[in-house]
Amino acid sequence: MTDLVKYILFWCIFAGSFVVTFRILQALEIEKYFKKYRKMEIHSAYFIITVLVSYALGKFLLDIIELFPGN
């Protein structure tokens, strides 16, 4: 696989998993673990957790694809 294909595939996976992870975090209602009226901390936690999970999933799926012969 060329670097351009890897790059495009990573960002597609990242964007898709970003949306899915964010929706899952909203369903989990992590704001109940924070003090009341701490909006900045809650939004930061959503963003940081979502970015970390999306990045890890993107790298993981690219590594899995690299394991298959013929790439």
Side-chain angles (χ1 to χ4, degrees), residues 7-66:
Y7 183 77
I8 292 170
L9 186 59
F10 172 79
W11 283 107
C12 290
I13 294 169
F14 183 87
S17 63
F18 189 93
V19 172
V20 171
T21 304
F22 188 75
R23 297 291 293 170
I24 290 171
L25 286 176
Q26 284 180 328
L28 291 175
E29 297 177 354
I30 64 170
E31 53 269 350
K32 62 185 170 187
Y33 300 110
F34 290 89
K35 293 181 181 177
K36 287 186 177 184
Y37 307 111
R38 298 288 180 124
K39 281 188 151 188
M40 189 62 180
E41 287 88 357
I42 295 168
H43 291 297
S44 298
Y46 272 122
F47 182 74
I48 290 169
I49 294 169
T50 304
V51 167
L52 289 174
V53 170
S54 299
Y55 177 79
L57 186 60
K59 290 296 283 183
F60 174 74
L61 289 177
L62 282 181
D63 290 343
I64 293 297
I65 291 170
E66 288 289 320

